[in-house]
């Protein structure tokens, strides 16, 4: 969902809420996406044999990571040298939609959403939303909405393939459906930063998340509409996700899941372990949120980590010793990883930097 459209008036308050909740108990999900040498027909069905050779993700959960959704959602992933393939299956007894123009606000219908941050720095990431009518909305986002950002609504995923298969009848309130399946092929070239940029992530991971926006509905003149209360106010939507963020905000890329693109073929087995440097990264983002919370309370940035840290940071029995630097352009927190020797840095605008 595009938070700029929905929460503009309450963004500051929401940012403080996000800062207040460190969500240390939430560990990002992970998934191994295997390579396929078979051609996949994008028809909205899972009939290609290769789909049967890979596992579904865990069932989606409410975005805050606590409540079980009303309807189930699962995803499978594959890749080849041209595309990132995604298959989503969504239980839904009433499949409906009315938005048919690309780049309209698709989450005003029930939809499925994909978020991708290729280099994991929390900046320059991508969002794709598709409804049950197979209408896409694709966006390029320079920074999370908690920081001053730029959103390119006219950015399109050139070469995108997608198809929907409804198990039932769409927009018919007189029957009960089983749900809908969405099959997507996103070309890697859509994420290239330059002509010679080799960005196919063979045996690498990207930060990825999936969200499903679902609305209570009402029937007016035989048509589905988002449900309103007695005062005409829309009911809140449901946000069901693969990897929960702990707050009602998908735009916290540091909390998204890890998708490892294994060079092994579908049907083989591979494993992926989240590195200790990534765990340091989680802690640096906690310090970032604590610093934002400190500023919200005091009107100035903390100049000492003692004001932000309740206890020393320890990862795998190693004590992490970050350094806070205040300067004319803001602040940053850095630490030398005892595991890799890399310098890990979080900036005031939440950009994460690794100096190797």
């Amino acid at each position: 969902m595009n938070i700029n459209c929905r929460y503009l008036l309450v963004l500051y308050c929401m940012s403080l809420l996000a800062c207040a909740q460190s969500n240390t108990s939430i560990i990002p999900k992970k998934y191994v996406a295997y390579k396929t040498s078979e051609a996949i027909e994008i028809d909205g069905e899972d009939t290609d044999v290769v789909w049967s050779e890979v596992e579904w993700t865990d069932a989606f959960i409410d975005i805050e990571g606590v409540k079980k959704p009303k309807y189930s959602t699962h995803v499978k992933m594959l890749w080849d040298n041209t595309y990132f393939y995604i298959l989503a299956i969504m239980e839904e007894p009433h499949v409906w939609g009315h938005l048919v123009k690309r780049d309209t606000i698709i989450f005003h219908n029930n939809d499925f959403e994909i978020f991708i941050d290729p280099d994991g720095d929390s900046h320059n990431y991508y969002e794709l939303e598709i409804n049950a009518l197979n209408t896409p909305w694709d966006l390029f986002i320079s920074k999370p909405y908690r920081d001053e950002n730029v959103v390119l609504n006219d950015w399109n995923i050139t070469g995108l393939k997608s198809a929907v298969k409804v198990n039932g009848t769409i927009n018919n309130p007189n029957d009960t459906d089983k749900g809908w399946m969405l099959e997507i092929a996103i070309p890697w070239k859509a994420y290239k930063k330059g002509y010679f940029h080799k960005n196919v992530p063979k045996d690498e991971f990207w930060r990825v998340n999936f969200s499903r926006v679902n609305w209570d509905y009402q029937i007016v003149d035989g048509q589905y509409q988002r449900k309103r209360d007695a005062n005409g106010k829309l009911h809140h939507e449901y946000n069901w996700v693969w990897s929960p963020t702990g707050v009602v905000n998908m735009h916290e890329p540091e909390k998204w899941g890890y998708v490892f693109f294994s060079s092994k073929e579908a049907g083989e087995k591979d494993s992926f372990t989240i590195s200790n440097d990534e765990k340091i990264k989680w802690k640096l983002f906690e310090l970032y949120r604590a610093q934002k919370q400190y500023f919200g309370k005091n009107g100035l940035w903390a100049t000492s980590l003692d004001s932000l840290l309740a206890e020393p940071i320890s990862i795998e029995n190693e004590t992490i010793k970050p350094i806070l630097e205040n300067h004319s352009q803001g602040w940053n927190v850095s630490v030398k990883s005892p595991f890799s020797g890399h310098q890990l840095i979080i900036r005031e605008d939440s950009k994460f930097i690794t100096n190797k």
Side-chain angles (χ1 to χ4, degrees), residues 85-113:
Y85 298 102
I86 298 163
L87 182 72
I89 185 167
M90 289 159 279
E91 180 186 19
E92 175 57 68
H94 291 276
V95 181
W96 62 274
H98 69 275
L99 297 172
V100 295
K101 183 179 179 181
R102 187 179 188 133
D103 289 341
T104 49
I105 303 175
I106 297 301
F107 66 75
H108 285 176
N109 287 172
N110 294 341
D111 76 354
F112 182 80
E113 305 179 353

Short mmCIF file of all heavy atoms in Angstrom, two decimals, residues 85-113:
data_model
loop_
_atom_site.label_atom_id
_atom_site.label_comp_id
_atom_site.label_asym_id
_atom_site.label_seq_id
_atom_site.Cartn_x
_atom_site.Cartn_y
_atom_site.Cartn_z
N TYR A 85 10.05 -14.96 -10.62
CA TYR A 85 8.69 -15.50 -10.71
C TYR A 85 8.05 -15.57 -9.32
O TYR A 85 8.68 -16.02 -8.36
CB TYR A 85 8.70 -16.90 -11.31
CG TYR A 85 9.25 -16.97 -12.72
CD1 TYR A 85 10.54 -17.43 -12.95
CD2 TYR A 85 8.47 -16.60 -13.82
CE1 TYR A 85 11.05 -17.51 -14.24
CE2 TYR A 85 8.98 -16.67 -15.11
CZ TYR A 85 10.27 -17.13 -15.32
OH TYR A 85 10.77 -17.20 -16.60
N ILE A 86 6.82 -15.17 -9.25
CA ILE A 86 6.07 -15.17 -7.99
C ILE A 86 4.69 -15.76 -8.24
O ILE A 86 4.00 -15.38 -9.20
CB ILE A 86 5.95 -13.75 -7.41
CG1 ILE A 86 7.33 -13.17 -7.11
CG2 ILE A 86 5.07 -13.74 -6.15
CD1 ILE A 86 7.35 -11.67 -6.93
N LEU A 87 4.28 -16.67 -7.38
CA LEU A 87 2.96 -17.28 -7.44
C LEU A 87 2.28 -17.08 -6.09
O LEU A 87 2.83 -17.48 -5.06
CB LEU A 87 3.06 -18.77 -7.76
CG LEU A 87 1.74 -19.54 -7.90
CD1 LEU A 87 1.03 -19.17 -9.20
CD2 LEU A 87 1.99 -21.06 -7.85
N ALA A 88 1.14 -16.44 -6.08
CA ALA A 88 0.41 -16.18 -4.84
C ALA A 88 -0.96 -16.81 -4.92
O ALA A 88 -1.66 -16.70 -5.93
CB ALA A 88 0.28 -14.68 -4.60
N ILE A 89 -1.37 -17.49 -3.84
CA ILE A 89 -2.70 -18.07 -3.77
C ILE A 89 -3.41 -17.46 -2.56
O ILE A 89 -2.88 -17.43 -1.45
CB ILE A 89 -2.65 -19.61 -3.68
CG1 ILE A 89 -4.06 -20.19 -3.75
CG2 ILE A 89 -1.89 -20.10 -2.46
CD1 ILE A 89 -4.09 -21.69 -3.97
N MET A 90 -4.61 -16.94 -2.81
CA MET A 90 -5.35 -16.19 -1.79
C MET A 90 -6.75 -16.73 -1.62
O MET A 90 -7.54 -16.76 -2.58
CB MET A 90 -5.40 -14.70 -2.18
CG MET A 90 -4.05 -14.01 -2.06
SD MET A 90 -3.94 -12.50 -3.05
CE MET A 90 -3.58 -13.20 -4.68
N GLU A 91 -7.04 -17.18 -0.41
CA GLU A 91 -8.41 -17.60 -0.08
C GLU A 91 -9.29 -16.35 0.01
O GLU A 91 -8.91 -15.38 0.65
CB GLU A 91 -8.40 -18.34 1.25
CG GLU A 91 -9.76 -18.84 1.69
CD GLU A 91 -9.72 -19.44 3.09
OE1 GLU A 91 -8.76 -19.16 3.83
OE2 GLU A 91 -10.65 -20.18 3.43
N GLU A 92 -10.44 -16.37 -0.63
CA GLU A 92 -11.32 -15.21 -0.64
C GLU A 92 -12.72 -15.63 -1.11
O GLU A 92 -12.90 -16.01 -2.26
CB GLU A 92 -10.77 -14.12 -1.57
CG GLU A 92 -11.67 -12.91 -1.74
CD GLU A 92 -12.00 -12.24 -0.43
OE1 GLU A 92 -11.09 -11.66 0.19
OE2 GLU A 92 -13.17 -12.32 -0.02
N PRO A 93 -13.71 -15.61 -0.22
CA PRO A 93 -15.06 -16.04 -0.60
C PRO A 93 -15.80 -15.05 -1.49
O PRO A 93 -16.82 -15.41 -2.08
CB PRO A 93 -15.77 -16.22 0.74
CG PRO A 93 -15.04 -15.33 1.68
CD PRO A 93 -13.62 -15.33 1.23
N HIS A 94 -15.31 -13.82 -1.58
CA HIS A 94 -15.94 -12.82 -2.44
C HIS A 94 -14.85 -12.05 -3.18
O HIS A 94 -14.28 -11.09 -2.66
CB HIS A 94 -16.82 -11.87 -1.63
CG HIS A 94 -18.05 -12.53 -1.07
ND1 HIS A 94 -19.20 -12.68 -1.81
CD2 HIS A 94 -18.27 -13.12 0.13
CE1 HIS A 94 -20.11 -13.31 -1.08
NE2 HIS A 94 -19.56 -13.60 0.09
N VAL A 95 -14.55 -12.52 -4.40
CA VAL A 95 -13.52 -11.89 -5.21
C VAL A 95 -14.16 -10.75 -5.99
O VAL A 95 -15.12 -10.95 -6.75
CB VAL A 95 -12.88 -12.90 -6.18
CG1 VAL A 95 -11.79 -12.22 -7.01
CG2 VAL A 95 -12.31 -14.09 -5.41
N TRP A 96 -13.63 -9.53 -5.80
CA TRP A 96 -14.22 -8.37 -6.46
C TRP A 96 -13.14 -7.34 -6.77
O TRP A 96 -12.02 -7.38 -6.23
CB TRP A 96 -15.32 -7.74 -5.61
CG TRP A 96 -14.86 -7.19 -4.27
CD1 TRP A 96 -14.74 -7.90 -3.10
CD2 TRP A 96 -14.44 -5.86 -3.98
NE1 TRP A 96 -14.28 -7.08 -2.10
CE2 TRP A 96 -14.10 -5.82 -2.60
CE3 TRP A 96 -14.33 -4.68 -4.73
CZ2 TRP A 96 -13.64 -4.65 -1.98
CZ3 TRP A 96 -13.88 -3.53 -4.10
CH2 TRP A 96 -13.55 -3.52 -2.73
N GLY A 97 -13.48 -6.40 -7.62
CA GLY A 97 -12.59 -5.31 -7.98
C GLY A 97 -13.23 -4.46 -9.06
O GLY A 97 -14.07 -4.94 -9.82
N HIS A 98 -12.83 -3.20 -9.13
CA HIS A 98 -13.38 -2.33 -10.17
C HIS A 98 -12.32 -1.44 -10.82
O HIS A 98 -12.60 -0.79 -11.82
CB HIS A 98 -14.50 -1.45 -9.59
CG HIS A 98 -14.01 -0.40 -8.63
ND1 HIS A 98 -13.81 -0.67 -7.29
CD2 HIS A 98 -13.67 0.91 -8.81
CE1 HIS A 98 -13.38 0.44 -6.69
NE2 HIS A 98 -13.28 1.40 -7.57
N LEU A 99 -11.09 -1.44 -10.30
CA LEU A 99 -10.06 -0.56 -10.84
C LEU A 99 -9.38 -1.24 -12.03
O LEU A 99 -8.79 -2.32 -11.91
CB LEU A 99 -9.03 -0.23 -9.76
CG LEU A 99 -9.60 0.54 -8.55
CD1 LEU A 99 -8.55 0.65 -7.46
CD2 LEU A 99 -10.08 1.93 -8.98
N VAL A 100 -9.43 -0.60 -13.18
CA VAL A 100 -8.90 -1.19 -14.41
C VAL A 100 -7.82 -0.32 -15.06
O VAL A 100 -7.24 -0.71 -16.06
CB VAL A 100 -10.03 -1.45 -15.44
CG1 VAL A 100 -11.00 -2.49 -14.90
CG2 VAL A 100 -10.76 -0.16 -15.78
N LYS A 101 -7.54 0.86 -14.49
CA LYS A 101 -6.54 1.75 -15.06
C LYS A 101 -5.23 1.61 -14.31
O LYS A 101 -5.20 1.70 -13.08
CB LYS A 101 -7.02 3.21 -14.99
CG LYS A 101 -6.06 4.19 -15.65
CD LYS A 101 -6.60 5.61 -15.58
CE LYS A 101 -5.62 6.61 -16.21
NZ LYS A 101 -6.12 8.00 -16.14
N ARG A 102 -4.16 1.38 -15.03
CA ARG A 102 -2.84 1.23 -14.43
C ARG A 102 -2.47 2.47 -13.62
O ARG A 102 -2.77 3.60 -13.98
CB ARG A 102 -1.79 0.99 -15.50
CG ARG A 102 -0.41 0.64 -14.93
CD ARG A 102 0.60 0.39 -16.03
NE ARG A 102 1.84 -0.13 -15.46
CZ ARG A 102 2.51 -1.17 -15.93
NH1 ARG A 102 2.07 -1.82 -16.98
NH2 ARG A 102 3.63 -1.58 -15.34
N ASP A 103 -1.80 2.22 -12.49
CA ASP A 103 -1.26 3.27 -11.62
C ASP A 103 -2.33 4.08 -10.90
O ASP A 103 -2.05 5.18 -10.42
CB ASP A 103 -0.31 4.20 -12.39
CG ASP A 103 1.00 3.51 -12.75
OD1 ASP A 103 1.32 2.48 -12.12
OD2 ASP A 103 1.70 3.98 -13.66
N THR A 104 -3.55 3.57 -10.84
CA THR A 104 -4.51 4.11 -9.89
C THR A 104 -4.21 3.51 -8.52
O THR A 104 -3.34 2.64 -8.38
CB THR A 104 -5.96 3.80 -10.31
OG1 THR A 104 -6.06 2.41 -10.63
CG2 THR A 104 -6.37 4.61 -11.52
N ILE A 105 -4.90 3.97 -7.50
CA ILE A 105 -4.61 3.51 -6.13
C ILE A 105 -5.23 2.13 -5.95
O ILE A 105 -6.37 1.97 -5.52
CB ILE A 105 -5.13 4.51 -5.09
CG1 ILE A 105 -4.52 5.90 -5.35
CG2 ILE A 105 -4.76 4.05 -3.67
CD1 ILE A 105 -5.06 6.98 -4.46
N ILE A 106 -4.46 1.11 -6.30
CA ILE A 106 -4.99 -0.25 -6.39
C ILE A 106 -5.45 -0.79 -5.05
O ILE A 106 -6.37 -1.60 -4.98
CB ILE A 106 -3.94 -1.18 -7.04
CG1 ILE A 106 -3.65 -0.71 -8.48
CG2 ILE A 106 -4.42 -2.63 -7.06
CD1 ILE A 106 -4.85 -0.68 -9.39
N PHE A 107 -4.83 -0.36 -3.94
CA PHE A 107 -5.25 -0.90 -2.64
C PHE A 107 -6.63 -0.40 -2.22
O PHE A 107 -7.13 -0.80 -1.17
CB PHE A 107 -4.21 -0.64 -1.55
CG PHE A 107 -4.01 0.80 -1.18
CD1 PHE A 107 -4.93 1.48 -0.42
CD2 PHE A 107 -2.87 1.47 -1.59
CE1 PHE A 107 -4.74 2.81 -0.06
CE2 PHE A 107 -2.66 2.80 -1.24
CZ PHE A 107 -3.60 3.47 -0.48
N HIS A 108 -7.29 0.42 -3.02
CA HIS A 108 -8.70 0.72 -2.78
C HIS A 108 -9.58 -0.47 -3.16
O HIS A 108 -10.77 -0.48 -2.85
CB HIS A 108 -9.12 1.98 -3.53
CG HIS A 108 -8.61 3.23 -2.89
ND1 HIS A 108 -8.80 4.49 -3.44
CD2 HIS A 108 -7.90 3.44 -1.74
CE1 HIS A 108 -8.24 5.40 -2.65
NE2 HIS A 108 -7.68 4.79 -1.63
N ASN A 109 -9.00 -1.44 -3.86
CA ASN A 109 -9.57 -2.78 -4.02
C ASN A 109 -8.77 -3.73 -3.14
O ASN A 109 -7.68 -3.40 -2.68
CB ASN A 109 -9.46 -3.25 -5.47
CG ASN A 109 -10.40 -2.56 -6.43
OD1 ASN A 109 -10.29 -2.74 -7.64
ND2 ASN A 109 -11.33 -1.75 -5.94
N ASN A 110 -9.29 -4.94 -2.92
CA ASN A 110 -8.44 -5.98 -2.36
C ASN A 110 -7.29 -6.20 -3.34
O ASN A 110 -7.49 -6.22 -4.56
CB ASN A 110 -9.21 -7.28 -2.19
CG ASN A 110 -10.31 -7.18 -1.15
OD1 ASN A 110 -10.29 -6.28 -0.30
ND2 ASN A 110 -11.27 -8.08 -1.19
N ASP A 111 -6.09 -6.36 -2.83
CA ASP A 111 -4.95 -6.50 -3.75
C ASP A 111 -3.86 -7.38 -3.16
O ASP A 111 -3.92 -7.82 -2.01
CB ASP A 111 -4.40 -5.12 -4.14
CG ASP A 111 -3.57 -4.46 -3.03
OD1 ASP A 111 -3.50 -5.00 -1.92
OD2 ASP A 111 -2.98 -3.39 -3.28
N PHE A 112 -2.84 -7.62 -3.99
CA PHE A 112 -1.62 -8.30 -3.58
C PHE A 112 -0.46 -7.37 -3.90
O PHE A 112 -0.41 -6.76 -4.98
CB PHE A 112 -1.45 -9.63 -4.32
CG PHE A 112 -0.24 -10.40 -3.90
CD1 PHE A 112 -0.27 -11.16 -2.74
CD2 PHE A 112 0.93 -10.37 -4.64
CE1 PHE A 112 0.86 -11.87 -2.32
CE2 PHE A 112 2.05 -11.08 -4.25
CZ PHE A 112 2.01 -11.83 -3.08
N GLU A 113 0.50 -7.24 -2.94
CA GLU A 113 1.56 -6.25 -3.08
C GLU A 113 2.94 -6.88 -2.89
O GLU A 113 3.12 -7.76 -2.04
CB GLU A 113 1.36 -5.13 -2.05
CG GLU A 113 -0.01 -4.48 -2.13
CD GLU A 113 -0.25 -3.38 -1.10
OE1 GLU A 113 0.61 -3.20 -0.21
OE2 GLU A 113 -1.30 -2.72 -1.20
#
